[in-house]
Amino acid sequence: MSLRPLSDRILVERVEEDEKTKGGIIIPDTAKEKPAEGKIVATGNGRMGEDGKLLPMDVKIGDRVLFSKYGGTDVKIDGIDYLILRQDDVLGVIE
């Protein structure tokens, strides 16, 4: 199954953080926070500006991004967890 987000939305796969701290302590799943970093899997075409012209997306497929912790909607596609966000919820691109 494939999914193409609409307008300025993006489909992000969360990047899992290490299960150990730098000191070697293993963090259990119940104590871990959801990562606020992910890889863009799909993007919409962009949003319409006030003048009716299509504004292109600032991000592209394959970019690693930081996003707001509580933004977006969690979805599960083919057993994989994804997050659908608006482009405005992206805080920055990791280069």
Side-chain angles (χ1 to χ4, degrees):
M1 181 169 103
S2 65
L3 176 74
R4 183 181 58 86
L6 299 176
S7 71
D8 69 335
R9 289 181 174 77
I10 57 175
L11 185 67
V12 176
E13 183 176 3
R14 291 183 191 266
V15 175
E16 294 299 322
E17 295 179 355
D18 292 336
E19 295 186 10
K20 287 186 185 179
T21 63
K22 291 180 182 177
I25 299 172
I26 297 175
I27 303 171
D29 288 339
T30 55
K32 281 197 266 185
E33 292 186 12
K34 288 185 177 181
E37 180 181 332
K39 179 180 171 188
I40 296 179
V41 179
T43 65
N45 294 329
R47 67 181 171 94
M48 289 291 184
E50 291 180 14
D51 58 356
K53 293 183 181 178
L54 185 66
L55 301 173
M57 300 289 280
D58 292 331
V59 294
K60 60 185 179 304
I61 295 173
D63 282 350
R64 287 177 63 98
V65 294
L66 293 174
F67 48 85
S68 53
K69 190 177 278 190
Y70 300 107
T73 303
D74 291 316
V75 294
K76 187 174 249 185
I77 301 170
D78 295 334
I80 301 173
D81 291 323
Y82 294 102
L83 187 66
I84 296 178
L85 299 166
R86 294 190 80 95
Q87 181 174 261
D88 293 342
D89 291 331
V90 173
L91 303 175
V93 177
I94 300 172
E95 296 180 344

